[in-house]
Amino acid sequence: MVGAGFAGVECVRRLERRLSPEEADVTLVTPFSYQLYLPLLPQVASGVLTPQSIALSLRRSSRYRTRIIPGGAIGVDLGAKVCVIRTITDRIVDEPYDYIVLAPGSITRTFDIPGLTDHAFGMKTLAEAAYIRDHVISQLDLADASQDPAERASRLQFVVVGGGYAGTETAACLQRLTHAAVRRYPRIDPGLIKWHLIDIAPKLMPELGDRLGRAAQEVLRRRGIEVSLGVSIAKAGAEEVTFTDGRVVPTRTLIWTAGVVASPLIATLGAETVRGRLAVGADLRLPGHDGVFALGDSAAVPDLAKGTEGAVCPPTAQHAGRQGRRVAENLIATLRGLPTRPYLHRDLGLVVDLGGADAVSKPLGVELHGLPAQAVARGYHWSALRTQVAKARVAADWALNAFAGDDFVRTGFQARKPAKLKDFEYTDAYLTPEQVRERVEGSGRARL
Ligand SMILES: Cc1cc2nc3c(=O)[nH]c(=O)nc-3n(C[C@H](O)[C@H](O)[C@H](O)COP(=O)(O)OP(=O)(O)OC[C@H]3O[C@@H](n4cnc5c(N)ncnc54)[C@H](O)[C@@H]3O)c2cc1C
């Protein structure tokens, strides 16, 4: 199993439960010892939750049967059935397999925009969320100390690109952070703090529908977040960002959440892809290759519930977890010589937490906003947290934050570390398909 996200963890848990130790050895390759509950990441960035609360321990919830290799897969040779792994100590090891399940998720999608990868932060990892929190608080600290009006202005403007749920929640939650924090900075004029949320699409979160989309936009407008649609970034620099409509915004904070692409691991396979995601069948097997399953954000899984030719499941946690359980069942069926079954799930809707009492949700098609939507959003996420201890931590954090607020403390321990997108998402770590082949053929390893 490659990847311990929503898809990988659900799959491993079911395999452990349903297979006896005599039937299979399960190995999990994962760089981290936790499953990250990504939908609550904006709340870590804004300090409502502590990072630990959404890092769900793999060891607490597994039955301790799975062998966990701490590292990342950097290539797979499908013919030789070998997974090449870079461990967390940078040792490269080959792991032969009989069956492989690929669930390495996705990385932030970037475009060829000058300066983007050098100056933007993503919102995909725990380190990024913790870094952004520190960064935003340090902008307030530095603006407060500065005597230079131009520097102050640029430190107090913030740009978030991407009007999907990740970008909208990030902008909304971080705006609440700066809005609450500014009371502790009497030298800063609150009017100078400005958040921009921009997207090239004509609507925010189109999957919400027109009415809820407008309600979300109204909440943002009321909070003073300037939403610009049909607009993207033309150029990013260390101290300013140029929008495609010609506006130049002085800022030191550019958060890029404009979509995701499959993990670079998928390209090392040399197999067919659909917009970068591995093209699997409805039973989540890779056609033409023995013993390969793929799922979650890294796979293009036919969306049978849509009934439209060529439709694939959107990259959501809702699908990834359920696909994990289906892959486990299909793998077990394959092992036992039984037929596999297709993956089918009808979307349950969307919840968008905008912080405080603000939210919009569309559970099972019912449109909600305000407190009822917030109750649904938090209730949904809380119940989806896998461990009891994570549930307790998140509930305690929410309660503490509601009653005592935030201390706006900047930890500083990451302050002088490289902080580009690729530093956080390890996108440079992978081999090319040729390098994988050369390595595996050169090793003369006995094949399983
Ligand atoms: C800010 C934000 C908010 C979101 N909100 C929602 C929401 O409200 N609802 C919803 O349904 N979805 C939401 N999503 C999307 C959702 O989180 C993803 O669709 C889901 O995490 C995909 O699950 P996955 O298992 O495919 O990937 P992930 O959960 O990302 O897991 C992939 C795992 O693989 C590991 N990995 C990566 N590369 C390798 C490698 N080479 N070798 C080994 N391991 C590797 C990663 O460390 C990670 O642990 C949100 C995403 C973000 C970023």
Side-chain angles (χ1 to χ4, degrees):
M1 166 67 61
V2 175
F6 284 89
V9 167
E10 282 299 320
C11 184
V12 164
R13 290 178 76 210
R14 182 147 303 195
L15 289 175
E16 285 198 329
R17 211 171 303 135
R18 302 255 287 111
L19 283 175
S20 69
E22 293 73 41
E23 275 180 292
D25 293 322
V26 183
T27 300
L28 173 63
V29 183
T30 168
F32 307 111
S33 61
Y34 57 81
Q35 180 210 337
L36 183 60
Y37 193 88
L38 278 151
L40 293 177
L41 213 48
Q43 298 195 29
V44 169
S46 60
V48 173
L49 298 175
T50 61
Q52 202 187 4
S53 306
I54 62 161
L56 282 65
S57 161
L58 296 178
R59 306 235 175 228
R60 186 183 278 274
S61 51
S62 85
R63 296 184 171 196
Y64 308 110
R65 191 149 73 74
T66 296
R67 176 175 153 244
I68 299 179
I69 302 183
I74 54 170
V76 180
D77 186 328
L78 296 176
K81 290 195 160 187
V82 172
C83 178
V84 184
I85 297 162
R86 189 192 298 271
T87 70
I88 53 170
T89 53
D90 271 340
R91 204 160 63 85
I92 308 235
V93 292
D94 295 344
E95 188 69 21
Y97 62 82
D98 293 316
Y99 295 91
I100 190 163
V101 179
L102 298 165
S106 53
I107 58 168
T108 301
R109 176 178 58 164
T110 54
F111 298 99
D112 202 9
I113 297 171
L116 180 68
T117 50
D118 286 336
H119 300 292
F121 306 115
M123 181 57 77
K124 276 289 279 175
T125 68
L126 202 51
E128 273 170 331
Y131 191 95
I132 287 172
R133 174 173 166 76
D134 263 25
H135 172 85
V136 168
I137 296 172
S138 64
Q139 297 316 298
L140 298 178
D141 287 343
L142 290 162
D144 185 61
S146 174
Q147 310 281 21
D148 173 2
E151 181 188 350
R152 279 186 154 214
S154 75
R155 292 201 184 278
L156 296 176
Q157 292 214 59
F158 305 89
V159 177
V160 179
V161 186
Y165 47 73
T168 305
E169 286 186 337
T170 299
C173 291
L174 284 169
Q175 182 275 341
R176 271 180 64 85
L177 163 77
T178 54
H179 178 74
V182 78
R183 284 181 234 139
R184 312 253 175 107
Y185 294 88
R187 283 165 36 85
I188 294 181
D189 170 7
L192 286 177
I193 299 182
K194 180 140 208 182
W195 281 87
H196 297 264
L197 174 62
I198 71 169
D199 198 307
I200 194 70
K203 284 179 189 169
L204 284 185
M205 301 177 288
E207 57 276 48
L208 279 178
D210 282 351
R211 234 154 48 105
L212 274 192
R214 273 201 305 276
Q217 214 166 316
E218 177 53 28
V219 170
L220 301 178
R221 197 197 54 74
R222 195 168 19 89
R223 299 242 207 104
I225 299 174
E226 190 169 319
V227 178
S228 306
L229 298 171
V231 175
S232 186
I233 295 288
K235 201 164 68 177
E239 295 181 14
E240 62 179 35
V241 165
T242 308
F243 291 178
T244 48
D245 62 7
R247 274 179 291 166
V248 178
V249 176
T251 181
R252 321 264 177 138
T253 312
L254 170 61
I255 303 175
W256 179 264
T257 65
V260 294
V261 284
S263 157
L265 179 67
I266 298 306
T268 74
L269 274 60
E272 197 193 326
T273 56
V274 178
R275 272 177 262 126
R277 299 168 88 186
L278 197 59
V280 293
D283 64 355
L284 303 126
R285 281 194 295 186
L286 181 63
H289 295 275
D290 178 39
V292 185
F293 292 83
L295 67 163
D297 282 11
S298 64
V301 178
D303 192 346
L304 301 185
K306 280 238 171 76
T308 325
E309 178 87 10
V312 297
C313 298
T316 63
Q318 198 185 126
H319 279 289
R322 286 170 176 83
Q323 288 169 2
R325 296 196 283 276
R326 171 63 21 227
V327 164
E329 294 297 342
N330 284 350
L331 208 162
I332 294 165
T334 311
L335 274 176
R336 296 177 180 167
L338 300 169
T340 56
R341 283 178 41 200
Y343 170 75
L344 173 66
H345 168 65
R346 219 169 286 284
D347 215 88
L348 296 176
L350 188 66
V351 295
V352 183
D353 188 335
L354 300 170
D358 294 324
V360 286
S361 309
K362 201 175 176 184
L364 304 168
V366 182
E367 297 190 352
L368 301 171
H369 57 89
L371 269 179
Q374 183 61 292
V376 170
R378 294 215 167 167
Y380 174 80
H381 288 312
W382 186 81
S383 59
L385 289 163
R386 212 185 55 251
T387 65
Q388 297 307 324
V389 74
K391 284 189 165 86
R393 282 205 180 101
V394 165
D397 282 356
W398 278 338
L400 195 61
N401 189 267
F403 289 113
D406 190 340
D407 277 340
F408 313 109
V409 168
R410 177 166 50 84
T411 61
F413 67 89
Q414 294 187 99
R416 286 187 170 73
K417 300 257 172 67
K420 296 178 182 167
L421 275 169
K422 68 178 178 357
D423 301 316
F424 284 118
E425 300 191 22
Y426 307 108
T427 47
D428 286 349
Y430 295 86
L431 302 178
T432 62
E434 294 71 36
Q435 286 170 323
V436 176
R437 245 192 330 276
E438 271 167 34
R439 176 180 169 82
V440 173
E441 280 165 10
S443 73
R445 167 182 297 286
R447 316 264 184 260
L448 278 189

